[in-house]
Amino acid sequence: MASPTLMQCLVAVSLLSCVAHAQLSPTFYASSCPNLQSIVRAAMTQAVASEQRMGASLLRLFFHDCFVQGCDGSILLDAGGEKTAGPNLNSVRGFEVIDTIKRNVEAACPGVVSCADILALAARDGTNLLGGPTWSVPLGRRDSTTASASLANSNLPPPTASLGTLISLFGRQGLSPRDMTALSGAHTIGQARCTTFRGRIYGDTDINASFAALRQQTCPRSGGDGNLAPIDVQTPVRFDTAYFTNLLSRRGLFHSDQELFNGGSQDALVRQYSASASLFNADFVAAMIRMGNVGVLTGTAGQIRRNCRVVNS
């Protein structure tokens, strides 16, 4: 029988091996699927050219995946109720684009690339195609075999959230208040349904009156729940710092947006991001990489789904 000292060494080596194995790497598919990045980029270029909003939709889809069980592709599963949980119902979109990319990737490298990694790359490319930064995406995630409606309902920040709630929900994922504010800058692109901002434009006092009136034109007090409005009133399909500039003039579309600049702990950072695109982009990239590491499955955990919508039989 091994001595306690030897056993401790073996355990330590085993743990180090697990930690090393769990590290994602931008070169994970360098030999097993060398054309992966160009395949994803080509499909995303076509998708965004067809509908600019799709860049924002894929970025949001990745965010909603990572906050529920980690970045494991669980939101892509038709079963399990995550897709239809409160924060996602009639809201998350872009599944068909992921399906297309997955088919293209499977044709080139069957059974090799996870849906979770495809989603991470699509989110990066969607951001970049709308004028945002690009970055090396750490890869090597595997796909979950389960989805969770309950975690979607409890973990995803609602548009009515207070600053304290936002900090708490991001903190639950190991993300700092600075990460939270940088990631919120994703709202510089995309559109929102009337039902998500009605309470703000009719009930909040920390809102620019002309901006509220503008949004009320397409979002009545009742009805029209699905009517869309750009989250960033200035440059709705351009990834830039206008989102933060809007907050300085009380033109945040969601209550949760304006909470970032409302006499609280993030006011100074919002001013800094508004004034410096380079600072915002750098912090956004760092926060995206940190978020992309949340709860990942690696090694032999999970599986590589053949179809992103269903667990392998």
Side-chain angles (χ1 to χ4, degrees):
M1 186 174 177
S3 68
T5 302
L6 179 58
M7 286 298 292
Q8 289 166 1
C9 288
L10 290 172
V11 169
V13 169
S14 176
L15 286 173
L16 284 172
S17 174
C18 289
V19 170
H21 198 64
Q23 295 299 309
L24 305 180
S25 167
T27 59
F28 187 83
Y29 299 108
S31 58
S32 60
C33 194
N35 295 324
L36 170 63
Q37 307 248 2
S38 60
I39 294 170
V40 175
R41 181 74 177 196
M44 282 301 297
T45 300
Q46 185 174 10
V48 172
S50 298
E51 183 193 4
Q52 287 183 302
R53 183 187 176 199
M54 195 52 71
S57 296
L58 268 296
L59 177 56
R60 183 168 183 263
L61 194 60
F62 181 56
F63 171 82
H64 278 228
D65 183 42
C66 291
F67 265 56
V68 182
Q69 300 185 166
C71 309
D72 61 359
S74 60
I75 197 170
L76 304 174
L77 288 169
D78 284 342
E82 193 171 318
K83 271 185 179 178
T84 54
N88 295 329
L89 183 64
N90 300 320
S91 171
V92 287
R93 59 197 298 274
F95 299 108
E96 296 79 8
V97 175
I98 297 298
D99 291 340
T100 297
I101 298 173
K102 178 63 172 174
R103 281 194 299 272
N104 296 347
V105 170
E106 285 294 303
C109 323
V112 172
V113 182
S114 68
C115 299
D117 277 345
I118 287 172
L119 181 53
L121 289 168
R124 186 272 310 272
D125 287 347
T127 299
N128 180 240
L129 286 163
L130 293 179
T134 190
W135 59 94
S136 294
V137 177
L139 301 167
R141 300 168 189 80
R142 286 170 66 86
D143 296 323
S144 172
T145 57
T146 62
S148 176
S150 61
L151 285 178
N153 285 321
S154 61
N155 285 5
L156 290 165
T160 55
S162 66
L163 180 60
T165 297
L166 291 171
I167 290 172
S168 174
L169 289 174
F170 277 76
R172 192 183 293 177
Q173 306 301 328
L175 298 168
S176 70
R178 190 181 187 97
D179 291 331
M180 179 269 294
T181 299
L183 290 169
S184 295
H187 285 174
T188 186
I189 51 176
Q191 299 186 58
R193 294 176 303 133
C194 168
T195 187
T196 61
F197 59 85
R198 177 183 284 119
R200 170 151 171 76
I201 62 173
Y202 288 103
D204 283 3
T205 55
D206 58 339
I207 187 169
N208 176 280
S210 61
F211 174 69
L214 174 67
R215 293 282 77 94
Q216 287 168 7
Q217 290 175 17
T218 53
C219 182
R221 286 185 181 272
S222 62
D225 285 2
N227 293 354
L228 296 172
I231 306 176
D232 170 3
V233 69
Q234 293 190 69
T235 52
V237 292
R238 180 78 183 169
F239 194 99
D240 56 20
T241 61
Y243 166 81
F244 297 104
T245 304
N246 293 335
L247 298 184
L248 300 183
S249 58
R250 311 294 178 187
R251 288 178 169 86
L253 184 62
F254 300 136
H255 178 87
S256 56
D257 287 331
Q258 199 60 58
E259 282 288 288
L260 302 181
F261 188 80
N262 196 25
S265 62
Q266 302 306 294
D267 282 18
L269 186 58
V270 168
R271 288 188 188 279
Q272 290 171 30
Y273 287 161
S274 174
S276 173
S278 60
L279 176 63
F280 165 52
N281 285 341
D283 280 6
F284 181 80
V285 166
M288 282 293 289
I289 291 172
R290 275 192 285 274
M291 184 179 76
N293 278 294
V294 171
V296 295
L297 301 174
T298 58
T300 57
Q303 61 181 208
I304 304 298
R305 281 188 230 133
R306 291 186 292 271
N307 177 341
C308 293
R309 294 174 179 265
V310 296
V311 174
N312 296 345
S313 57

